[in-house]
Every structure is written in C-alpha cells, then in structure tokens.
Amino acid sequence: MKYSYFYKIKSFPKIGKVVAVSDGNSLVSLLWSSQISKFLSDFHAKNSSNQTIELFFSEFDLYLDKKLKAWTVKTKLKGTDFQIKLWSSLQKIPYGNTMAYSSFAREYFNIKQLRAISANIGRNPIPIIYPCHRVVGIDGSLVGFNGGIDIKKALLDIEKE
C-alpha cells in the first residue's frame, strides 16, 4: 500500500503531543494532542518518520530551548490563495512579539476582512512555523488557538526574552 503522507508523534513537556506530517519532501501539517484522532481518520498516512519530520523535531527541540528563532525545515502550505498569503504573512510578526487580530488585518490586508482573517488564522495547518500563536485579542488576551490557550501561552512564554 502506498501512503501519501508520513507522520510521527512526539511528546513535549508543557506542550503535550505534537504530530508532524510530511508529504515525503515538505512539512505539510502540525497537529496537537486534541487533533490526533481526527487526523488519523482523515489522512491516509503511515506512522513513519522521514528526513523532513526529523529536521522539524530537531528544530522544535531547539525552539523549545530558546535556541531557534528561524526555521529551515521545508514546508508546503495547502489552501486558497488568500489562506496561503495570510498564513505566510504571519511570519512577519517578529519572534517574541504579538499583534492584535485587528492590527494584523490593517497592516497586511484590509480591516474589512477581519472576520475572514480571524477564521482562517485558526485554519493554519502549520502553526509555530507560521506563528498564529502570536496573534492575540485587541487587549492582549490569548484567544483563538487550535491547540488550546494553554499551548498558546506556553509558546509565547518560550519566546519571551
């Protein structure tokens, strides 16, 4: 049986289980503990690591130790043109900083698109590398992260200098 995707699950303190998914050449998805069962039912994937997945987890270990601020693992975003532009724009938010959804919309898109922007940030298939955890409420509150607010807080705490 030929598999389209490969994945590996690894556990981390304060973060829990992370699933890295590769198409064999690029990282295509990162998932959290709460998403594993849906992933296993939706993807035709083999529990087998590859060079891309190993590079991601190696870099993720460095990130967790505050030794990595820029990723080198190859990624491939799948989505509409709008989604890909949106998710790519998340990388413009500097490491250690946050930006309100409305500020992000104003700076990189159009404030009239705020609702669509907010909804699609939540559909980001490769969080952390496309750092949706850096987008917060207007008052700085931690809202809207598909891994859960505890993981969002842990990621932001890692990035504090």
Side-chain angles (χ1 to χ4, degrees):
M1 177 181 298
K2 186 174 179 185
Y3 291 93
S4 303
Y5 297 96
F6 304 90
Y7 73 95
K8 181 176 179 179
I9 302 171
K10 191 170 175 183
S11 292
F12 297 91
K14 297 184 184 178
I15 303 291
K17 291 180 182 175
V18 175
V19 181
V21 183
S22 168
D23 65 4
N25 297 308
S26 303
L27 192 68
V28 296
S29 187
L30 291 178
L31 304 155
W32 310 105
S33 297
S34 61
Q35 300 167 309
I36 292 173
S37 61
K38 181 170 176 19
F39 161 75
L40 292 175
S41 66
D42 288 353
F43 279 83
H44 184 64
K46 180 179 181 182
N47 185 357
S48 175
S49 194
N50 62 31
Q51 195 172 27
T52 300
I53 290 172
E54 292 305 320
L55 176 59
F56 165 73
F57 280 126
S58 174
E59 289 187 340
F60 191 55
D61 285 332
L62 292 171
Y63 171 83
L64 293 173
D65 288 339
K66 299 183 178 204
K67 295 177 182 172
L68 179 94
K69 294 182 181 179
W71 301 87
T72 63
V73 66
K74 185 178 172 186
T75 61
K76 184 190 295 180
L77 290 169
K78 293 182 181 183
T80 66
D81 290 344
F82 173 77
Q83 288 172 322
I84 291 169
K85 181 181 177 191
L86 172 68
W87 299 327
S88 296
S89 296
L90 292 167
Q91 292 182 318
K92 296 176 183 177
I93 304 171
Y95 178 95
N97 292 322
T98 59
M99 181 177 259
Y101 283 90
S102 56
S103 299
F104 181 82
R106 252 188 236 94
E107 186 154 339
Y108 300 112
F109 293 89
N110 181 324
I111 193 64
K112 293 178 181 176
Q113 296 174 295
L114 180 59
R115 194 170 282 189
I117 288 166
S118 300
N120 282 288
I121 286 174
R123 293 183 181 103
N124 176 7
I126 312 175
I128 305 171
I129 295 175
Y130 297 90
C132 52
H133 62 281
R134 296 180 190 156
V135 184
V136 297
I138 190 87
D139 60 357
S141 59
L142 303 185
V143 296
F145 188 68
N146 64 15
I149 298 303
D150 290 343
I151 293 176
K152 183 172 189 161
K153 181 179 181 342
L155 295 172
L156 291 173
D157 287 346
I158 287 164
E159 294 185 8
K160 286 183 184 172
E161 297 292 337

